């Protein structure tokens, strides 16, 4: 807000949409007001809007390309830091001495220190960086916007915290944090000047963030198609088709950036997951083995979720004990236990990517990678025992680790555990059918990895991710079979792991609401104390309303007696109305050539009394259309706002003309046509209308406060907009339908009416908080 040398405030007229807008799927009325000129035809504003729409579309796709490239570079850089920085330094740290006991203590120290540093970042610096981040994004995309989750500071501290937690050696992953980092990075870039205007509200912003979430999966596994499908399944309740193209475009650009960065032969981040092509005979008994693998992973995924839930509930019921231990003590205990269990067995010490690589490719009696798994097991077929031991230890450690206050993911640990499950089935099949030469145990590991991830996260996109990751379509049918069976069995037993995160963190998520019957109606859940403004109201009442309410959209009612709902008006528009009248009062109080004595025009002085400080400022959409002959005598004051509103000071003759009209109106109450002519000429004058003339929007009440008519102002001023089509429902609508409408159409609130009269309001957050079963 800038003060000019004439003493009035220049204010930019904003056209922010209200929360009741339909996800901004249609152009808001505030952005189309004034498109037709008063002489008919299309105004210059409409042409400007068309140009803006073209530029906005250009900046939108530019933003998606920028976030694809920048995001891929950023996430690949984090991956390289992990592989050639954190893990490489850990190896050198452990090899500093050949003493086994010292190496053991060094490994424990490394794990504890890095995990504690990660906990310190969460508890003391940035709590929003905790956990996976996917549940928080699910809540945002469900319609509950939370800006703290995607702030630029979260982007930085999530990265540092993940480097510490994942690099410590805890049984956690990085895909969830990568998705969270992608969303925070996209939100940060949206704050940069060239891209600030491409989103009109939080709903559009959330849609773009959902499209950018596919980048996290693409960077983790090099899977752009699987990333898009995963973002739809995990972060979206109902997905817009228009957002589908944006997600694919972003993921494709990101995949190009990843391929450019990882094209060198030395970069084996993605190549380590590749498998060897073989011939597979699905007409044999192997198809039954794949079905068994899918079923086993479905039960194991549900067991993992149940184990996590029991551990979380146990910690919750023993809160006093853990308050004494403190979060740092809890992290130290779990990190030390993880290091103590992992160090003695080399295959437990492997990072998850190396473990998956061994399960996918290590095969044969003399394979060096396989010896890492079997050298500690002094039994025949030691790979089976090693895999079983890996499954048990990692399943428990992962369930415990994801209850800690650190950044973590769950996809990669489940990926490695599932690969071990599939490898066990493949090795057993090789023992049972030694004569079958086409049984390839690493192929079963591929099916198991996808099936367990699908069974825990309930995402069928796991099949596409594993197929893109391995770059092998040989196991397409077995992978799809295993994933579908695993997801189906898991859905019969419990909720997905991400839904458990949502409930445990008490995050609002509308699909959790399940109305038992249609007996619960809108009038049972609505809030009756609604802040509203009448069509005819005073500036004082508007000011008081803005002070006691922070709602972005205010309902406009016909009157205090008749609560018929006319529409809604934005808070910004009400603020502009107040500033508008403040400017008028400022000019009328400080006018120099217009400080004329009204006593000369009114014998009894009543006009001077009633019209001191009255508006004699004309607001014109285009002053050049004026037909007055004394145009050259006017002093023009132009407002530099985006709406192009112009102010003109009237000449002395025009002032006399207005005063005469005022006097005639006071002497003859039936001369309403004069007022209408003045209104049509865009010269509104504040009058003390004793007979309650409804054609004037500048009356005064008993206390002398200016009365304005919002509907008349909308007709006369293009920047005053009343949304005549907010979300409306009747009192007898079942809550089940209201919830479905929220999920499909978005918005944060709906107005409840009874025969056209406003009865109350249903707010989505209050509905979830007060009536969630």
């Amino acid at each position: 807000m800038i003060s000019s040398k004439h003493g009035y405030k220049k204010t930019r007229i904003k056209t922010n949409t209200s929360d009741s807008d339909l996800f901004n799927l249609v152009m808001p009325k505030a952005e189309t007001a004034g498109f037709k000129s008063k002489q008919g035809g299309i105004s210059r504003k409409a042409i400007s809007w068309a140009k803006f729409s073209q530029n906005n579309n250009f900046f939108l796709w530019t933003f998606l390309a920028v976030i694809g490239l920048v995001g891929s570079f950023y996430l690949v850089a984090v991956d390289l830091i992990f592989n050639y920085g954190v893990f490489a330094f850990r190896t050198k740290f452990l090899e500093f001495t050949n003493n086994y006991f010292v190496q053991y203590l060094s490994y424990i120290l490394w794990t504890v220190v890095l995990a504690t540093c990660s906990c310190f970042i969460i508890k003391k610096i940035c709590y929003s960086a905790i956990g996976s981040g996917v549940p928080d994004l699910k809540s945002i995309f469900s319609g509950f916007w939370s800006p703290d989750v995607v702030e630029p500071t979260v982007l930085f501290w999530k990265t540092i915290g993940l480097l510490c937690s994942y690099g410590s050696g805890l049984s956690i992953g990085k895909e969830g944090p990568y998705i969270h980092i992608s969303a925070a990075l996209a939100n940060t870039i949206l704050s940069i000047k060239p891209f600030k205007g491409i989103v009109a509200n939080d709903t559009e912003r959330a849609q773009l963030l959902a499209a950018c979430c596919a980048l996290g999966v693409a960077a983790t596994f090099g899977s752009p198609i699987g990333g898009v499908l995963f973002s739809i399944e995990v972060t979206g309740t109902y997905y817009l088709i228009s957002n589908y193209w944006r997600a694919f475009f972003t993921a494709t650009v990101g995949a190009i950036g990843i391929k450019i960065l990882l094209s060198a032969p030395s970069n084996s981040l993605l190549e380590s997951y590749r498998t060897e092509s073989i011939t597979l005979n699905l007409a044999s008994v192997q198809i039954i083995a794949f079905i068994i693998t899918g079923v086993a992973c479905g039960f194991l995924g549900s067991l993992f979720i149940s184990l996590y839930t029991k551990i979380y509930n146990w910690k919750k019921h023993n809160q006093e004990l853990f308050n004494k231990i403190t979060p740092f003590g809890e992290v130290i205990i779990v990190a030390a236990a993880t290091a103590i269990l992992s160090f003695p067995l080399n295959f437990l010490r492997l990072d998850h990517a190396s473990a998956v690589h061994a399960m996918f490719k290590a095969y044969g009696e003399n394979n060096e990678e396989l010896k890492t798994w079997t050298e500690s097991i002094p039994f025949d077929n030691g790979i089976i025992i090693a895999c079983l031991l890996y499954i048990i230890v990692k399943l428990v450690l992962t369930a415990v680790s994801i209850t800690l206050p650190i950044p973590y993911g769950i996809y990669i640990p489940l990926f490695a555990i599932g690969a071990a499950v599939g490898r066990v089935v493949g090795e057993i099949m090789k023992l049972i059918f030694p004569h079958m030469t086409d049984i390839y145990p690493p192929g079963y590991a591929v099916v198991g990895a996808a099936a367990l991830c699908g069974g825990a996260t309930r995402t069928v996109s796991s099949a596409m991710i594993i197929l893109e990751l391995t770059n092998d379509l040989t196991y397409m049918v077995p992978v799809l079979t295993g994933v579908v069976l695993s997801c189906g069995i898991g859905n019969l037993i419990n909720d997905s792991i991400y839904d458990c995160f949502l409930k445990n963190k008490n995050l609002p998520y509308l699909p959790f609401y399940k109305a038992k019957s249609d007996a619960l109606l809108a009038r049972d859940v609505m809030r009756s104390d609604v802040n509203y403004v009448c069509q005819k109201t005073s500036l004082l009442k508007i000011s008081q309303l803005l002070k006691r309410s922070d709602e972005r959209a205010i309902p406009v009612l016909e009157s205090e007696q008749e609560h018929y709902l006319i529409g809604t008006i934005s808070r910004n528009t009400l603020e502009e109305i107040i500033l508008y009248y403040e400017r008028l009062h400022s000019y009328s109080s400080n006018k120099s050539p217009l400080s004329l004595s009204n006593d000369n025009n009114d014998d009894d002085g009543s006009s001077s009394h009633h019209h001191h400080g009255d508006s004699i400022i004309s607001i014109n959409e285009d002053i050049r259309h004026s037909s007055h002959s004394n145009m050259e005598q006017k002093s023009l004051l132009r407002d530099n706002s985006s709406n192009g509103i112009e102010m003109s000071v009237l000449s002395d003759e025009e002032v006399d003309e207005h005063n005469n009209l005022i006097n005639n109106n006071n002497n003859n109450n039936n001369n309403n046509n004069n007022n209408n002519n003045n209104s049509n000429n865009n010269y509104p004058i504040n009058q003390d209308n004793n007979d309650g003339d409804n054609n004037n929007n500048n009356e005064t009440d008993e206390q002398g406060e200016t009365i304005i008519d919002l509907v008349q102002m909308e007709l006369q001023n293009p920047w005053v907009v009343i949304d005549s089509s907010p979300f409306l429902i009747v009192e007898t609508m079942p809550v089940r339908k209201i919830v479905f409408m929220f999920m499909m159409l978005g918005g944060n609130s709906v107005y409840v009416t009874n025969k056209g009269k406003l009865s109350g309001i249903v707010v989505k957050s209050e509905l979830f908080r007060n009536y969630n079963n």
Side-chain angles (χ1 to χ4, degrees):
M1 192 178 299
I2 305 172
S3 297
S4 71
K5 63 181 180 180
H6 299 287
Y8 73 97
K9 296 178 179 179
K10 298 180 181 179
T11 306
R12 182 175 181 178
I13 305 300
K14 298 179 180 180
T15 57
N16 287 356
T17 56
S18 65
D19 285 347
S20 61
D21 286 335
L22 180 58
F23 250 54
N24 204 35
L25 295 178
V26 296
M27 186 182 298
K29 188 177 180 182
E31 297 174 346
T32 58
F35 272 16
K36 286 194 175 182
S37 64
K38 295 180 180 180
Q39 289 74 23
I42 303 299
S43 68
R44 288 178 299 169
K45 188 176 181 181
I47 299 174
S48 300
W49 172 256
K51 293 180 179 178
F52 170 77
S53 299
Q54 294 176 357
N55 294 334
N56 191 58
N57 194 48
F58 169 77
F59 281 118
L60 172 63
W61 291 101
T62 304
F63 162 76
L64 295 176
V66 169
I67 188 60
L69 288 175
V70 174
S72 63
F73 293 166
Y74 187 91
L75 295 176
V76 170
V78 175
D79 259 339
L80 295 175
I81 292 173
F82 273 126
N83 284 269
Y84 301 106
V86 179
F87 295 150
F89 186 76
R90 182 180 66 177
T91 302
K92 294 180 179 179
F93 181 73
L94 296 179
E95 293 177 351
F96 182 75
T97 178
N98 294 327
N99 188 289
Y100 180 82
F101 182 73
V102 175
Q103 287 184 343
Y104 204 160
L105 291 179
S106 300
Y107 186 80
I108 296 173
L109 180 64
W110 174 275
T111 305
V112 169
V113 169
L114 264 67
T116 305
C117 291
S118 180
C119 180
F120 178 82
I121 291 173
I122 298 300
K123 301 301 292 185
K124 299 297 183 180
I125 301 178
C126 183
Y127 186 78
S128 297
I130 191 174
S132 169
V134 174
D136 304 84
L137 294 176
K138 287 190 72 170
S139 178
I140 288 177
F141 302 145
S142 177
F144 300 92
W145 177 254
S146 179
D148 295 340
V149 176
V150 287
E151 287 183 344
T153 54
V154 176
L155 169 66
F156 176 77
W157 291 115
K158 186 88 172 187
T159 305
I160 302 300
L162 181 64
L163 287 172
C164 294
S165 60
Y166 187 67
S168 67
L170 291 174
S171 185
I172 57 174
K174 58 183 179 178
E175 185 191 34
Y178 274 16
I179 295 175
H180 190 187
I181 289 172
S182 300
L185 183 62
N187 188 62
T188 302
I189 295 179
L190 279 175
S191 302
I192 300 175
K193 189 174 181 180
F195 306 115
K196 277 186 177 180
I198 64 177
V199 289
N201 49 40
D202 293 340
T203 299
E204 283 192 347
R205 183 179 293 267
Q207 293 172 9
L208 285 183
L209 297 190
C212 297
C213 285
L215 186 63
V217 182
T220 308
F221 298 115
S223 173
I225 300 176
V228 173
L229 298 179
F230 187 84
S231 67
I232 293 173
E233 289 185 293
V234 173
T235 60
T237 307
Y238 292 93
Y239 206 79
L240 293 176
I241 296 300
S242 60
N243 223 36
Y244 184 73
W245 293 100
R246 298 173 183 174
F248 259 112
F249 180 77
T250 307
T252 302
V253 174
I256 293 173
I258 292 170
K259 292 296 183 182
I260 293 174
L261 293 174
L262 302 181
S263 59
S266 59
N267 293 328
S268 58
L269 294 179
L270 299 178
E271 295 298 327
S272 61
Y273 294 105
R274 305 305 186 209
T275 58
E276 297 179 1
S277 300
I278 63 166
T279 302
L280 179 65
N281 182 14
L282 292 179
S284 62
V285 72
Q286 290 195 75
I287 191 63
I288 299 177
F290 290 129
I291 293 174
I292 294 173
T293 303
V295 173
C297 288
F299 282 111
L300 192 62
S302 299
L303 176 64
F304 169 76
I305 296 171
S306 300
L307 181 61
Y308 159 75
T309 304
K310 290 184 181 297
I311 294 172
Y312 181 87
N313 292 334
W314 177 75
K315 290 175 62 176
K316 187 176 181 180
H317 293 151
N318 295 273
Q319 194 64 43
E320 294 182 0
L321 173 62
F322 285 93
N323 287 339
K324 295 178 181 179
I325 297 175
T326 72
F328 295 100
E330 180 185 350
V331 169
I332 291 173
I333 292 173
V334 174
T338 301
I340 291 171
L341 290 174
S342 301
F343 188 82
L345 300 176
N346 291 332
F347 59 88
L348 292 177
R349 203 190 313 171
L350 295 172
D351 62 275
H352 296 109
S354 300
V356 171
H357 179 265
M359 293 292 98
F360 282 6
K361 302 194 73 171
Y363 185 65
E365 295 181 358
N366 298 322
N367 189 279
E368 292 297 328
E369 282 187 282
L370 204 58
K371 289 181 179 180
T372 304
W373 290 74
T374 58
E375 63 185 4
S376 302
I377 309 297
F379 301 101
D380 294 337
N381 299 306
I383 183 62
I384 298 178
I385 299 176
C387 288
L388 290 174
L389 189 60
Y390 184 88
I391 293 168
I392 296 172
V393 173
K394 287 296 184 179
L395 202 68
V396 175
L397 290 178
T398 303
V400 175
S401 298
I402 60 178
T403 63
L404 300 177
I406 57 174
Y408 58 77
I410 60 156
Y411 206 89
I412 294 181
L414 293 176
F415 203 76
I417 297 171
V421 173
R423 187 62 183 259
V424 168
V425 176
E427 295 291 344
I428 292 176
M429 284 289 294
K430 194 68 176 178
L431 291 176
I432 297 176
F433 303 100
H435 60 282
M436 294 183 63
T437 58
D438 57 349
I439 294 179
Y440 186 59
Y444 287 82
V446 174
V447 178
L452 186 60
C453 289
T457 61
R458 311 294 155 78
T459 55
V460 183
S461 57
S462 300
M464 180 56 66
I465 292 175
I466 193 68
L467 292 175
E468 288 186 282
L469 179 64
T470 59
N471 199 25
D472 187 1
L473 297 179
T474 304
Y475 288 91
M476 181 175 65
V477 174
V479 165
L480 288 172
T481 302
V483 170
V484 170
L485 287 174
S486 181
C487 290
I489 291 173
N491 286 327
L492 294 175
I493 299 176
N494 49 25
D495 296 323
S496 74
I497 187 64
Y498 291 126
D499 289 342
C500 291
F501 289 159
L502 276 165
K503 292 180 179 179
N504 292 338
K505 295 182 70 174
N506 199 27
L507 294 172
Y509 186 59
L510 203 58
F512 285 160
Y513 183 94
K514 296 180 181 179
K516 295 181 179 179
S517 66
D518 287 343
L520 195 63
L521 305 178
R523 59 169 169 257
D524 301 322
V525 301
M526 71 179 185
R527 173 162 53 84
S528 300
D529 55 331
V530 183
N531 293 311
Y532 63 87
V533 62
C534 293
Q535 174 185 343
K536 287 191 174 183
T537 185
S538 66
L539 297 178
L540 178 61
K541 290 182 179 180
I542 294 177
S543 179
Q544 292 173 345
L545 173 65
L546 295 177
K547 289 180 180 179
R548 70 171 181 266
S549 172
D550 57 354
E551 297 174 357
R552 294 173 56 187
I554 309 296
V556 180
L557 305 186
E558 183 176 317
S559 65
E560 292 283 356
Q561 295 76 25
E562 300 293 337
H563 285 191
Y564 288 105
L565 182 63
I566 297 175
T568 60
I569 189 168
S570 70
R571 180 185 185 88
N572 293 326
T573 302
L574 292 177
E575 292 174 349
E576 296 297 340
I577 290 175
I578 293 178
L579 293 175
Y580 164 70
Y581 277 95
E582 287 179 354
R583 291 199 302 268
L584 296 184
H585 178 73
S586 175
Y587 272 104
S588 61
S589 300
N590 300 290
K591 56 186 179 292
S592 53
L594 298 177
S595 300
L596 304 176
S597 174
N598 289 334
D599 293 336
N600 297 331
N601 298 324
D602 194 345
D603 295 334
D604 59 0
S606 61
S607 177
S608 175
H609 171 72
H610 290 300
H611 306 300
H612 176 68
D614 283 347
S615 167
I616 53 174
I617 303 296
S618 173
I619 307 297
N620 298 318
E621 184 178 358
D622 193 341
I623 197 67
R624 289 178 295 181
H625 291 297
S626 176
S627 61
H628 296 284
S629 61
N630 56 355
M631 174 66 72
E632 64 277 3
Q633 298 180 6
K634 294 183 179 180
S635 174
L636 298 180
L637 298 175
R638 297 178 179 245
D639 189 350
N640 292 329
S641 65
S642 59
N643 275 13
I645 297 176
E646 299 175 355
M647 295 186 177
S648 60
V649 181
L650 307 183
S651 65
D652 295 346
E653 292 80 359
E654 291 168 327
V655 172
D656 293 337
E657 180 183 352
H658 281 293
N659 289 332
N660 291 333
L661 291 174
I662 294 169
N663 293 332
N664 291 334
N665 185 57
N666 289 333
N667 295 328
N668 301 292
N669 293 332
N670 296 326
N671 289 342
N672 295 331
N673 292 332
N674 291 333
N675 296 331
N676 294 336
N677 292 334
N678 291 335
S679 175
N680 292 334
N681 288 331
N682 285 331
Y683 302 122
I685 305 296
N686 288 337
Q687 302 182 59
D688 187 6
N689 196 340
N690 296 324
D691 64 345
D693 185 7
N694 292 333
N695 292 330
N696 223 320
N697 65 342
N698 288 330
E699 307 169 4
T700 56
D701 59 10
E702 298 176 354
Q703 289 76 26
E705 295 292 336
T706 303
I707 299 297
I708 60 174
D709 190 324
L710 295 177
V711 174
Q712 289 295 325
M713 286 200 70
E714 183 188 28
L715 296 176
Q716 296 171 0
N717 302 280
W719 53 271
V720 178
V721 177
I722 297 178
D723 182 6
S724 59
S725 58
F727 279 177
L728 299 178
I729 59 174
V730 295
E731 290 183 348
T732 56
M733 176 177 283
V735 175
R736 174 181 53 81
K737 290 185 178 180
I738 300 175
V739 173
F740 183 75
M741 183 172 67
F742 275 138
M743 290 191 296
M744 290 296 294
L745 302 179
N748 291 327
S749 61
V750 293
Y751 296 103
V752 184
T753 59
N754 182 17
K755 297 181 180 179
K757 295 183 178 181
L758 181 64
S759 301
I761 185 173
V762 177
V763 181
K764 179 164 58 177
S765 58
E766 296 176 359
L767 177 66
F768 174 85
R769 182 171 59 252
N770 299 328
Y771 299 95
N772 186 27
N773 294 331

